[in-house]
Amino acid sequence: MGIGTSIFLLAVGAILTFAVNASVGGVDLDIVGWILMAAGVLGLIMTAAVWGRRRQTVATAPAAEPVEYRVEERRDIVPPR
């Protein structure tokens, strides 16, 4: 889950929890909002943890010797006129 999705879940959850006063048959929208906000916060924490690991430096083996390329001219082909 990315940062954008996490923020979206937080926003939708906050709207359902604090701004909507409707009732849907058998579903408590306040609880759904709190669950969405919790999922958004968890997503932000997980994204921060993953991005934090990616930014660590990793030691790599030294680069191999550069490859030498040789270009040879073919003399058996007549150039176009």
Side-chain angles (χ1 to χ4, degrees), residues 12 16 21 25 32 35 39-42 44 52 61-62 65 79 81:
V12 170
L16 287 177
N21 290 328
V32 173
I35 292 171
V41 168
L42 184 63
L44 281 175
E65 292 292 322
R81 294 184 176 186

Side-chain angles (χ1 to χ4, degrees), residues 59-80:
T60 59
E65 292 292 322
V67 177
E68 184 178 321
Y69 293 101
R70 193 177 327 172
V71 177
E72 297 179 7
E73 181 181 359
R74 290 184 60 174
R75 299 199 180 257
D76 60 339
I77 299 175
V78 181

Side-chain angles (χ1 to χ4, degrees), residues 26-43:
V27 177
D28 188 1
L29 292 179
D30 287 342
I31 299 297
V32 173
W34 283 108
I35 292 171
L36 289 176
M37 286 192 294
V41 168
L42 184 63

Side-chain angles (χ1 to χ4, degrees), residues 4-30:
T5 306
S6 299
I7 292 173
F8 177 75
L9 288 176
L10 278 169
V12 170
I15 290 169
L16 287 177
T17 302
F18 303 117
V20 175
N21 290 328
S23 76
V24 179
V27 177
D28 188 1
L29 292 179
D30 287 342

